[in-house]
Amino acid sequence: MVAPLVLLENTENHATLKLSPPSGGLSLQGKIQVPGDKSISHRALMLGALAEGTTEIEGLLVGEDPQSTAACFRAMGVEISELNPTHVVVKGVGLGNLQEPTTVLDAGNSGTTMRLMLGILASHAGRFFAVTGDDSLRTRPMSRVVKPLQDMQAQIWGRKDNALAPLAVQGQTLKPIHYHSPIASAQVKSCILLAGLLTPGKTTVTEPALSRDHSERMLKAFGADISVEPETNSVTVTGPTQLHGQKVVVPGDISSAAFWLVAASIVPGSELLIENVGVNPTRTGILEALEMMQADITLENEREVAGEPVADLRVRSAKLKACTIGGDVIPRLIDEVPILAVAAAFAEGTTVVKDAAELRVKESDRLAVMADSLGKMGVEVTEHPDGLEIVGGATALEGAEVDSFTDHRIAMSLAIAALMAKGTTAIARAEAAAISYPNFVETLEDICQA
Ligand code: S3P
């Protein structure tokens, strides 16, 4: 560690992360592993809970979001061992057999927990559920799943015309639909498919562009009657279908690896090997974008593990060039736009991100927060309703006081930007990183060399 690179100052409920890189500069070196994929971790816990028999999970993300999922399903009678990255056991209750919880289900900060779970709850006939989340999640749009579920005759009530949590659900036997989703969202797609598991007949979702397909892959592995039509981005589940407990191996999260891919690209003289990263093609938009920016990244030891493609990623620092990112690649790098904005600050030319209005309804308004924060650090950023224009070519940023707005990906993106800033950057509410990456700061300390 290069002192005083990192200092966490705790206030009552929050921690400020202070980074003061040494004036002589630093580089990033080493071989690291990132925590388990968040999307796959949620799905492993949920399908394990719904399946008949035991599911064993290796590589689970032990972050706050999967803890929320586990807590919700435990409250519905599912036995789930203590979460750890090596071996988690879920004793499935069998489809349709979740118990009515005697208290409110709390999805915490996790949109995936709430949206996927709503499909499951709405189709559990004869049981009543109440669902809530933290301050951020209670502002995020739920109508995108409530409306199609209501088309399936689900009974759901919530604030603002059923658009916001807290939500109440009276489980029903639902009617199958063919839903043409207006947005490419894996949370919407997965919610409807999960509702379709208990619904007699064919439930189909068609999306405008392909979003992450972890649900489809895992449902197939668990024995669901599911078919995919790639030409039309459609998936069909035929219910009722039974699931059978499986062994799931969760690869490292490419969304977490993205911080190191950008960090090593922009910090001169760096080289990192990031082992065991999931490289599912519906998630590798970040690799395509960084390739367009002429980053130096190679995939090594490519293999398939438990139905998901995996590789080790080697990244060396490089002179980045600006690029334009928009269209169908956006759903494949949706969570990586904040860290790509950091890369763009160092890329020669003006980088344009468009078609990314979805970022405004994530854990924070990620377009506004990144424009504002990078602006404070001396980068010229123009905010558009659906994207950003970032004037690059910086060799160093200016240390500043910024805020994560309790958004994990903002906290970590700003920490990477701070590595290349003169003076001290203080990131308020940086504890948010633990949502998806509990040991982010430790890894940062390990790889920094003076
Ligand atoms: C996720 C889907 C994406 C992503 C989120 C995780 C998932 O959200 O941003 O972090 O696990 O299905 P949307 O479906 O809203 O795009």
Side-chain angles (χ1 to χ4, degrees):
M1 171 188 155
V2 188
L5 184 67
V6 168
L7 179 71
L8 269 169
E9 267 180 18
N10 288 294
T11 58
E12 210 173 309
N13 293 313
H14 298 295
T16 296
L17 177 62
K18 283 194 177 169
L19 296 105
S20 310
S23 51
L26 48 77
S27 74
L28 307 176
Q29 307 290 339
K31 191 159 76 172
I32 57 176
Q33 296 199 337
V34 290
D37 186 280
K38 182 158 77 66
S39 293
I40 299 175
S41 295
H42 284 301
R43 287 158 173 80
L45 290 167
M46 288 189 193
L47 296 198
L50 298 176
E52 278 179 344
T54 300
T55 288
E56 294 183 62
I57 311 170
E58 188 188 314
L60 189 93
L61 165 65
V62 187
E64 289 172 20
D65 273 10
Q67 292 283 10
S68 296
T69 292
C72 288
F73 282 86
R74 285 184 186 123
M76 294 186 281
V78 182
E79 223 182 282
I80 303 174
S81 66
E82 202 184 312
L83 301 195
N84 68 71
T86 44
H87 188 229
V88 173
V89 180
V90 183
K91 298 223 166 105
V93 292
L95 207 57
N97 295 330
L98 291 175
Q99 289 168 17
E100 181 174 276
T102 54
T103 187
V104 178
L105 299 171
D106 188 352
N109 188 249
S110 174
T112 307
T113 306
M114 185 171 283
R115 295 197 178 113
L116 268 58
M117 199 166 64
L118 282 169
I120 296 169
L121 306 181
S123 55
H124 267 69
R127 275 143 284 186
F128 177 82
F129 308 90
V131 188
T132 193
D134 71 3
D135 291 350
S136 155
L137 190 55
R138 281 183 278 109
T139 67
R140 295 181 65 189
M142 291 302 141
S143 37
R144 57 182 56 200
V145 292
V146 170
K147 288 221 165 86
L149 287 173
Q150 285 174 332
D151 291 347
M152 297 176 80
Q153 299 187 3
Q155 293 199 35
I156 306 178
W157 302 268
R159 293 187 302 124
K160 302 277 180 215
D161 203 14
N162 310 323
L164 298 180
L167 294 157
V169 182
Q170 178 62 57
Q172 301 287 323
T173 300
L174 302 179
K175 295 269 183 296
I177 56 167
H178 184 159
Y179 185 55
H180 294 268
S181 178
I183 43 174
S185 159
Q187 293 180 354
V188 171
K189 172 173 66 178
S190 305
C191 167
I192 304 308
L193 293 176
L194 290 171
L197 293 175
L198 272 172
T199 302
K202 286 186 187 304
T203 297
T204 302
V205 182
T206 298
E207 49 182 353
L210 185 60
S211 65
R212 63 194 67 193
D213 68 354
H214 305 302
S215 295
E216 294 91 304
R217 287 172 188 252
M218 206 184 287
L219 280 167
K220 199 169 208 170
F222 273 72
D225 185 345
I226 181 166
S227 62
V228 176
E229 201 181 273
E231 305 77 37
T232 57
N233 293 329
S234 300
V235 195
T236 300
V237 159
T238 306
T241 177
Q242 195 49 264
L243 304 179
H244 303 285
Q246 296 296 314
K247 170 122 206 269
V248 180
V249 184
V250 184
D253 197 329
I254 191 166
S255 296
S256 298
F259 300 109
W260 309 124
L261 293 175
V262 170
S265 296
I266 63 175
V267 176
S270 299
E271 177 168 349
L272 292 175
L273 181 67
I274 315 166
E275 294 177 316
N276 188 38
V277 181
V279 287
N280 178 316
T282 61
R283 297 288 299 283
T284 47
I286 176 71
L287 298 179
E288 290 161 46
L290 287 172
E291 193 182 340
M292 276 196 281
M293 297 174 96
Q294 301 188 12
D296 181 355
I297 298 171
T298 47
L299 271 66
E300 299 177 2
N301 192 15
E302 287 183 66
R303 58 220 187 255
E304 183 149 323
V305 180
E308 289 279 350
V310 175
D312 301 335
L313 306 181
R314 187 178 297 278
V315 52
R316 298 184 182 90
S317 49
K319 185 99 205 65
L320 299 182
K321 297 268 186 294
C323 71
T324 295
I325 303 160
D328 283 5
V329 76
I330 293 292
R332 293 187 287 114
L333 51 66
I334 190 74
D335 292 333
E336 287 69 72
V337 173
I339 191 63
L340 268 174
V342 175
F346 294 90
E348 195 188 311
T350 299
T351 293
V352 179
V353 178
K354 56 186 185 182
D355 308 319
E358 273 293 299
L359 269 92
R360 295 205 180 274
V361 291
K362 294 293 179 187
E363 286 84 330
S364 70
D365 177 343
R366 288 180 173 163
L367 296 179
V369 175
M370 284 312 291
D372 184 58
S373 312
L374 287 177
K376 285 184 175 146
M377 298 181 83
V379 185
E380 196 184 322
V381 186
T382 311
E383 199 183 327
H384 296 292
D386 71 335
L388 297 173
E389 252 177 67
I390 301 143
V391 180
T395 48
L397 306 183
E398 294 155 24
E401 288 192 9
V402 289
D403 191 332
S404 79
F405 290 87
T406 71
D407 183 330
H408 53 130
R409 302 208 194 277
I410 298 288
M412 292 184 274
S413 298
L414 294 178
I416 300 306
L419 295 180
M420 288 294 286
K422 287 197 191 104
T424 300
T425 299
I427 306 165
R429 301 192 271 183
E431 75 286 349
I435 295 287
S436 61
Y437 204 151
N439 60 343
F440 173 79
V441 173
E442 286 81 349
T443 299
L444 179 58
E445 287 174 327
D446 284 350
I447 61 178
C448 280
Q449 310 277 313

